[in-house]
Amino acid sequence: QQGRCGTQSVDDGRAPCHLRDDGVQGSLGVVSVLLSDNDLKPGRVLRQMEQTTSEVPKGEQVAVPSRDAGMLMRVRQLQVLCDQAPVALAGSLAAALILIALFWSVTPRPLLLSWFALLVLVTALRGVLIRSYRLAPPKPERTDRWANWFIVGSVSAGLLWGLAIILFPPPASIFHTGLAVLWVCGLTAGSVAALSSVKWGFFSFAIPALVPPALYLLIIGHQRDALISGGVLLFLGFLSLNALRTHRTTIETLRLQFDNAELIAQLDAEKGHIKKLNERLERRVRERTAELAAATAAKSRFLAAASHDLRQPLQTLSLLTGVLSRSVRDSRAAQTIQEMQDTVGVMGTLLDALLDINQLDSGAIKPEWKDFPIGTLLDRLRLDFNHHSGEKGLSLRVVPSPAIVR
């Protein structure tokens, strides 16, 4: 596929083919977007071509045939020609009226009027052709046929303007011959911009308009006419180079439009993909947040139930140690009972701290900075670990400290 679908030459009026995968309709869809903003039918043509290529299995890469891509480029070229044709036709009629006015007194008037009538007829037919093209059902395979009819119209108009150089000037009047030649050459130069979008559009007008008069002037045999003939052919050569350059520039501009439109379509597709990823991420964040909130609520309920269930035996144990302390007379046993009471108090404090931590996690309370004596915390730690250290044959000693910390 890569070898067959590389970049095509722009001089033959064909656009490069592009690869299309899932989510991107390829160069056909892109060009459809590009041309659908205009009023001409090629936009509808390309939308129909897009529909014929949209039934490709998902994820499968398909090369857009270069023949279809070239057809798209020719459709766009013909559209540019139709956009510029109305002004060119109106200018041709205006130039014809001025030329008739210049030769009104030196050329037979029936000849002038007959020539003008033929020009008006050809111009009207060309206008009807343009309108028919715009209103015709979109059939891409007929693009070349429409282009051929446009070329026929240009050839007919060029022949009429060439006849003006041959028939209008009086015999042996170098002034009027030069005037007619300059007038038709100027009109031909103006057609470069209007007809060069299609490769043979300019030549279909310029060759019939200038080559037959140049040959006629050369055959007449006068030296001055031969010089004018050479000048006309030389002028035609320079115009041809300019027309080819203009044609290549037009093709390159259209190709850049296709590439830009395809890039915009790809960016839109990427934007849609990123949007879907963001939505998916937001949905997952909401789900995880809801799960975390549910877990926090379950933990709060568990801690609240555990605190309630554990406080009751602790209170009972505290009451029993209190009763036991009043009934024991031995000093050593009384000290042990006192340590038991202190341990029960520490357990109650730990339960309160556990509930406080849970409320901090749920945001029910806000922490406040507070100063407290470090000695109280150290004494509680001594009570918690004194028996454990004694069982291991160790002695735990805490140095009293009056320090206040935060």
Side-chain angles (χ1 to χ4, degrees), residues 276 278-288:
K276 291 181 179 178
N278 289 335
E279 292 175 353
R280 187 183 307 171
L281 180 61
E282 292 175 357
R283 184 171 60 255
R284 293 180 61 184
V285 169
R286 289 194 298 267
E287 292 174 354
R288 294 297 175 85

Side-chain angles (χ1 to χ4, degrees), residues 261-323:
E262 182 177 6
L263 178 60
I264 292 174
Q266 292 176 352
L267 291 177
D268 290 339
E270 292 295 332
K271 186 187 298 183
H273 181 62
I274 293 174
K275 184 178 179 181
K276 291 181 179 178
L277 290 179
N278 289 335
E279 292 175 353
R280 187 183 307 171
L281 180 61
E282 292 175 357
R283 184 171 60 255
R284 293 180 61 184
V285 169
R286 289 194 298 267
E287 292 174 354
R288 294 297 175 85
T289 303
E291 293 175 358
L292 180 60
T296 302
K299 184 180 70 174
S300 300
R301 290 192 299 269
F302 170 77
L303 291 177
S307 175
H308 179 272
D309 294 340
L310 291 176
R311 283 182 186 278
Q312 188 66 32
L314 282 177
Q315 291 176 358
T316 303
L317 185 59
S318 178
L319 291 174
L320 292 176
T321 54
V323 173

Side-chain angles (χ1 to χ4, degrees), residues 4-19:
R4 292 168 52 195
C5 297
T7 302
Q8 303 288 337
S9 172
V10 298
D11 289 338
D12 60 358
R14 291 183 292 173
C17 71
H18 305 275
L19 290 179

Side-chain angles (χ1 to χ4, degrees), residues 15 110 118 145 150 157 165 195 285 347 389:
L118 288 176
R145 184 180 302 177
F150 281 116
I165 298 177
L195 302 177
V285 169
M347 291 179 64
S389 60

Side-chain angles (χ1 to χ4, degrees), residues 169-382:
S173 176
I174 189 65
F175 171 77
H176 290 91
T177 300
L179 179 62
V181 167
L182 290 177
W183 198 260
V184 177
C185 285
L187 186 67
T188 306
S191 67
V192 171
L195 302 177
S196 294
S197 60
V198 177
K199 188 171 185 179
W200 293 103
F202 168 77
F203 296 102
S204 63
F205 176 81
I207 292 177
L210 296 181
V211 172
L215 296 178
Y216 170 76
L217 294 175
L218 187 63
I219 293 174
I220 288 179
H222 300 294
Q223 183 177 3
R224 293 176 301 178
D225 294 333
L227 291 176
I228 295 176
S229 174
V232 169
L233 295 177
L234 183 63
F235 182 73
L236 177 60
F238 284 115
L239 283 184
S240 300
L241 294 176
N242 191 20
L244 291 175
R245 187 180 295 110
T246 303
H247 174 73
R248 286 193 295 268
T249 302
T250 302
I251 295 299
E252 184 66 23
T253 301
L254 295 178
R255 193 162 67 88
L256 289 176
Q257 288 180 1
F258 293 163
D259 294 340
N260 292 337
E262 182 177 6
L263 178 60
I264 292 174
Q266 292 176 352
L267 291 177
D268 290 339
E270 292 295 332
K271 186 187 298 183
H273 181 62
I274 293 174
K275 184 178 179 181
K276 291 181 179 178
L277 290 179
N278 289 335
E279 292 175 353
R280 187 183 307 171
L281 180 61
E282 292 175 357
R283 184 171 60 255
R284 293 180 61 184
V285 169
R286 289 194 298 267
E287 292 174 354
R288 294 297 175 85
T289 303
E291 293 175 358
L292 180 60
T296 302
K299 184 180 70 174
S300 300
R301 290 192 299 269
F302 170 77
L303 291 177
S307 175
H308 179 272
D309 294 340
L310 291 176
R311 283 182 186 278
Q312 188 66 32
L314 282 177
Q315 291 176 358
T316 303
L317 185 59
S318 178
L319 291 174
L320 292 176
T321 54
V323 173
L324 184 61
S325 64
R326 288 192 295 271
S327 63
V328 174
R329 296 292 181 264
D330 185 63
S331 59
R332 185 173 181 180
Q335 182 180 359
T336 302
I337 293 173
Q338 181 62 39
E339 291 178 354
M340 289 177 60
Q341 290 178 335
D342 294 339
T343 302
V344 171
V346 170
M347 291 179 64
T349 303
L350 291 175
L351 282 176
D352 293 337
L354 189 61
L355 289 176
D356 291 340
I357 292 175
N358 178 61
Q359 292 178 346
L360 285 173
D361 290 340
S362 62
I365 60 175
K366 294 183 179 180
E368 295 181 359
W369 293 99
K370 187 177 181 181
D371 298 333
F372 67 95
I374 191 64
T376 304
L377 178 61
L378 296 176
D379 289 337
R380 187 165 56 190
L381 293 175
R382 180 183 59 80

